[in-house]
Amino acid sequence: MQVVGRTNERDVWVASKDRPFRLNELLVMEGHSPETAVGEVVETYSLNPLVPLVDEGSPYLMGPEIVSALQAVGYELERDTVYLGKIRVISELFYPVKTGSRARVPDFTEVADLLLQAEPERSMALGVILGTETLDPTLPDYLRHLAPLFQEGKVVDQQGVPFLLDYRSMQDYPHIGIFGGSGSGKSFGVRVLIEEFIKKRLPVVVFDPHYEMSFSEPLLPDLPPGFKESFDSGFQILTVGQDIGVRFDMLTEGDLCNLLGAVSPLSEAMESAARAVLSKKDSLITFAERLDNLIGLLENNEADYRQEFFSRGNGPEREREWKRLKVLQNQVGQPASLRAIRWRLYSLKREGIFHEAGITRIEEGLRNQQVTVIRGSIRMLRVYASYVLRNLYGKRREYRDALQKGQSAVNFPPFLVVTDEAHNFAPKGDHSSPSLREFREIAQEGRKYGVFLVLASQRPALLDETINAQLNTKIIFRTVRSMDLSVISEETDLGREEIRRLPYLPSGYGFISSPIVGRTVAVRIRAAKTRSPHQDNPFDELEVMADSRISEFRSVLVRYLPLNETYINDVLQELEKRGEPMSRAEMDSLLEQMVQKGELVKDENSFVTVFRLAARD
Ligand SMILES: Nc1ncnc2c1ncn2[C@@H]1O[C@H](COP(=O)(O)OP(=O)(O)O)[C@@H](O)[C@H]1O
Ligand SMILES: [Mg+2]
């Protein structure tokens, strides 16, 4: 292998007669001491005597100068197959690579600095660096078995150098973005990240609109020894409206307006009305009643309404409430704003967001340095995320600010926020979106307080630009849409060659672009140790469902065989009694299926149809 043609300090061509180049493999180009010139193969070609050598119209092929350079060093292009690799130099050179210098596969130690930024204990093993298989023989033991791969339904040992991300460097380069089209490996990758967070005992809040983030089930029933790991003590799953929610009696005026505004934006009049109507010790019931009463008072004759008000109860508390209503009557004036508030309030209540448990268990999770998965519909989570983040981030900020000023404060830990479908939580160009403000604030100044975002999305082009620009580390999986590709090429340091490969990446393969690493690295994400509870292939699921339906039917049917018209109703009734009701049409279809499978035989004569068990041979 030999450097050919014109060179600079960044891009060179290497040619070989015997050996094809592999994408992403590393090569040392000799003769550059004291520095070593190391490069990564970013494009590969094989030149064959039968194929035209130069295609000046195509940007993909080498120019005519490469051809003459090859000929100059003795390659007989009319006779030999010649392999060519385009190399991107990754070591810092201050002069061009020497043309004609020999290239070879390095030992691990020669390139260790370029590949590893931190020791395994201080970093997360996310996968393997593509193209490093040739370094495997010289890899030290402590770097082996960290990132087994998931391949053809099996877990196989790590091949090559592990990709270790130094999570502590998020202090300098905060926030992670994970982008890729549907099925490209985002959820799988997020799972791997969260498994690492659990191992490192980092406090994390995960918003899980897909109900897929659970870490109890092993990826496969029989994982290789040493790979299986239980995460059960490291995470908890909480559902909004069931285990957690918003405690109405703890709402500030600001919280209330934010929640109401999350349903649909508030006008100034609505906001000031909401602030005025809320009293300190209000519960959802007392607040809703005051709203109703105030609307009643504004829309009716006062004397009549007063009578009605006191007919529903009296006493000193009731008297005080009436006085409050009278004050509010002058403050608010218009019932329309109040109706608008009431509609938003009921909408929140219907979603089930108010729950007396509040966010206590989320806070507990953070203090216990656990991963807390928050489940709910996307609609609900958008509203809830804004409430939760404002609270948690506020507490963290208060604590840090107090420390800074030398005051005492209740300890509150740093934490990470993970969410899939991030473009729904922080959409571009939709300023009324409920949680946009909180995500933006954390993106912009979360670093100061040790609060970091991990945002996954299949549509980076739809994610708020301010936030996108703050995601220092980006993991990019297969991407096909041109809008997303152009955002990716603007927002990362992926080169032309990598962008061109993006639409064709297999699931789980991606590029990691990060100042923590210093350059773009092609990786294959490791096997997750766990799997989502509903990761079954839906077609397998269909088969299982059909099978269980037939076997239920079969267990009833056997006692009525041979079956003729007389018993059909009995069978249907018995199925109904068992809680498996079936229509006549469905039963006919199941019978036909069983005939087709050779389980039953159908005897038809002109009078009756009889189904009987097929004889077994
Ligand atoms: N790192 C990986 N190694 C092996 N297979 C993977 C990997 N990532 C994804 N896959 C495969 O691709 C499928 C889709 O991945 P998933 O993460 O669900 O996609 P996305 O969330 O981007 O839609 C997974 O079910 C898995 O079979
Ligand atoms: Mg997914």
Side-chain angles (χ1 to χ4, degrees):
M1 289 183 278
Q2 178 174 25
V3 176
V4 294
R6 195 163 58 189
T7 66
N8 57 27
E9 75 297 337
R10 190 178 146 78
D11 298 297
V12 299
W13 291 92
V14 177
S16 161
K17 248 187 279 200
D18 344 294
R19 175 186 180 281
F21 295 90
R22 299 180 59 144
L23 266 182
N24 303 113
E25 79 177 321
L26 298 182
L27 296 175
V28 172
M29 288 152 290
E30 292 185 327
H32 294 86
S33 66
E35 295 97 337
T36 13
V38 179
E40 177 181 357
V41 176
V42 292
E43 278 176 16
T44 64
Y45 298 93
S46 116
L47 299 184
N48 186 290
L50 301 175
V51 175
L53 289 176
V54 184
D55 176 359
E56 292 188 53
S58 155
Y60 307 148
L61 263 187
M62 60 280 351
E65 77 272 13
I66 292 290
V67 173
S68 36
L70 286 170
Q71 282 159 339
V73 289
Y75 287 91
E76 297 186 51
L77 298 170
E78 315 72 44
R79 269 208 359 240
D80 307 330
T81 291
V82 176
Y83 300 105
L84 267 180
K86 186 175 176 191
I87 312 289
R88 184 183 303 149
V89 180
I90 57 178
S91 34
E92 265 191 44
L93 284 189
F94 296 100
Y95 48 84
V97 174
K98 287 183 189 142
T99 193
S101 60
R102 240 171 50 79
R104 61 173 169 82
V105 173
D107 274 0
F108 174 74
T109 45
E110 291 176 278
V111 290
D113 288 352
L114 292 168
L115 298 181
L116 296 179
Q117 280 70 43
E119 296 303 305
E121 314 78 61
R122 312 198 71 182
S123 54
M124 307 189 289
L126 299 186
V128 297
I129 302 176
L130 291 180
T132 57
E133 296 84 348
T134 45
L135 303 176
D136 216 82
T138 51
L139 196 67
D141 281 343
Y142 78 100
L143 291 176
R144 293 181 187 276
H145 317 302
L146 297 174
L149 298 172
F150 185 43
Q151 191 163 302
E152 286 157 14
K154 285 207 239 21
V155 174
V156 300
D157 200 9
Q158 166 189 323
Q159 296 146 18
V161 180
F163 177 83
L164 303 176
L165 187 70
D166 175 10
Y167 61 94
R168 295 162 157 271
S169 299
M170 273 211 271
Q171 175 56 24
D172 301 315
Y173 303 108
H175 315 309
I176 300 178
I178 299 167
F179 299 132
S182 172
S184 62
K186 287 181 307 299
S187 298
F188 203 96
V190 169
R191 172 171 296 279
V192 166
L193 262 175
I194 297 178
E195 287 177 1
E196 295 288 329
F197 292 155
I198 298 178
K199 276 200 248 185
K200 307 289 186 222
R201 293 212 68 94
L202 306 183
V204 180
V205 179
V206 182
F207 293 103
D208 179 19
H210 296 145
Y211 288 64
E212 64 184 357
M213 287 301 160
S214 158
F215 305 89
S216 297
E217 269 186 61
L219 176 70
L220 300 171
D222 51 345
L223 284 176
F227 185 62
K228 192 170 168 168
E229 193 166 337
S230 166
F231 296 108
D232 285 341
S233 65
F235 81 99
Q236 58 171 346
I237 297 177
L238 304 174
T239 305
V240 188
Q242 203 169 298
D243 313 301
I244 45 172
V246 172
R247 257 184 78 166
F248 197 93
D249 59 345
M250 306 261 284
L251 283 183
T252 63
E253 289 175 8
D255 283 338
L256 177 65
C257 291
N258 278 319
L259 279 174
L260 295 171
V263 178
S264 176
L266 298 181
S267 69
E268 251 170 63
M270 292 176 209
E271 178 157 346
S272 65
R275 286 178 185 274
V277 175
L278 184 70
S279 280
K280 265 234 164 69
K281 277 176 250 149
D282 264 340
S283 67
L284 178 58
I285 295 172
T286 58
F287 178 75
E289 255 177 24
R290 190 165 315 112
L291 266 181
D292 284 343
N293 285 331
L294 197 52
I295 293 171
L297 179 58
L298 287 166
E299 288 186 338
N300 291 285
N301 170 291
E302 187 181 322
D304 292 349
Y305 196 73
R306 186 190 152 89
Q307 196 170 16
E308 198 214 305
F309 178 82
F310 283 104
S311 74
R312 281 183 274 132
N314 49 41
E317 182 55 39
R318 202 73 184 153
E319 291 286 354
R320 266 200 298 279
E321 183 65 21
W322 178 255
K323 271 190 205 137
R324 200 173 294 149
L325 289 174
K326 291 287 296 164
V327 174
L328 287 171
Q329 180 186 20
N330 299 324
Q331 263 178 350
V332 176
Q334 285 300 324
S337 308
L338 297 171
R339 289 187 176 283
I341 293 170
R342 185 165 66 180
W343 171 75
R344 285 166 177 73
L345 185 72
Y346 284 173
S347 165
L348 289 169
K349 183 168 175 281
R350 257 198 318 278
E351 299 250 5
I353 206 163
F354 295 116
H355 194 284
E356 63 196 6
I359 60 168
T360 320
R361 292 184 62 188
I362 305 175
E363 285 186 46
E364 265 169 29
L366 290 184
R367 291 182 200 282
N368 293 339
Q369 298 185 221
Q370 276 183 318
V371 167
T372 295
V373 176
I374 300 178
R375 287 184 170 175
S377 66
I378 285 235
R379 248 185 72 82
M380 160 97 91
L381 283 184
R382 285 170 47 157
V383 177
Y384 195 57
S386 83
Y387 175 78
V388 168
L389 292 183
R390 203 164 344 102
N391 267 271
L392 300 179
Y393 186 61
K395 286 188 171 150
R396 174 64 188 165
R397 208 172 42 197
E398 254 166 52
Y399 170 64
R400 291 299 303 180
D401 288 345
L403 282 192
Q404 199 103 55
K405 293 182 202 139
Q407 301 160 345
S408 70
V410 190
N411 174 342
F412 201 88
F415 62 96
L416 290 112
V417 180
V418 180
T419 181
D420 203 346
E421 305 286 0
H423 60 279
N424 277 306
F425 290 88
K428 178 156 123 182
D430 176 6
H431 295 276
S432 64
S433 173
S435 47
L436 177 63
R437 212 172 62 201
E438 288 72 26
F439 277 98
R440 258 201 196 167
E441 187 171 348
I442 297 178
Q444 287 176 308
E445 56 165 45
R447 187 177 85 93
K448 232 167 53 192
Y449 300 106
V451 179
F452 303 107
L453 299 174
V454 177
L455 303 182
S457 168
Q458 47 180 317
R459 295 307 316 275
L462 303 185
L463 181 65
D464 179 64
E465 295 118 315
T466 312
I467 294 176
N468 210 333
Q470 299 290 336
L471 303 171
N472 276 274
T473 297
K474 293 197 172 82
I475 307 179
I476 317 284
F477 292 109
R478 181 175 58 246
T479 302
V480 178
R481 285 173 196 258
S482 57
M483 248 169 88
D484 295 326
L485 287 171
S486 67
V487 167
I488 288 166
S489 72
E490 278 161 32
E491 292 286 345
T492 65
D493 60 0
L494 261 66
R496 189 173 59 96
E497 297 84 3
E498 280 109 9
I499 298 282
R500 245 190 1 241
R501 276 169 70 191
L502 278 180
Y504 311 103
L505 292 178
S507 300
Y509 286 71
F511 294 105
I512 299 186
S513 156
S514 170
I516 299 177
V517 186
R519 67 183 182 106
T520 294
V521 183
V523 297
R524 177 167 174 197
I525 299 296
R526 71 162 168 83
K529 291 170 187 269
T530 58
R531 59 174 215 147
S532 126
H534 51 77
Q535 214 172 46
D536 293 326
N537 185 320
F539 297 101
D540 291 343
E541 197 184 324
L542 273 180
E543 271 168 35
V544 172
M545 270 163 79
D547 284 353
S548 78
R549 191 85 172 135
I550 285 193
S551 69
E552 185 71 35
F553 176 58
R554 186 188 290 123
S555 67
V556 174
L557 181 69
V558 281
R559 280 177 288 118
Y560 295 91
L561 288 174
L563 179 76
N564 62 38
E565 195 63 37
T566 358
Y567 300 130
I568 286 197
N569 273 329
D570 296 343
V571 175
L572 288 175
Q573 269 169 22
E574 184 160 344
L575 282 166
E576 174 125 25
K577 251 191 264 163
R578 288 184 170 216
E580 291 273 330
M582 191 175 283
S583 69
R584 173 67 198 265
E586 189 183 354
M587 176 165 165
D588 287 344
S589 136
L590 285 183
L591 286 168
E592 292 299 338
Q593 283 180 41
M594 291 167 81
V595 170
Q596 259 175 26
K597 285 187 183 166
E599 248 183 272
L600 296 179
V601 173
K602 184 177 181 180
D603 283 336
E604 273 173 308
N605 60 41
S606 46
F607 305 111
V608 284
T609 304
V610 179
F611 291 92
R612 51 179 185 74
L613 220 47
R616 308 246 161 172
D617 39 33

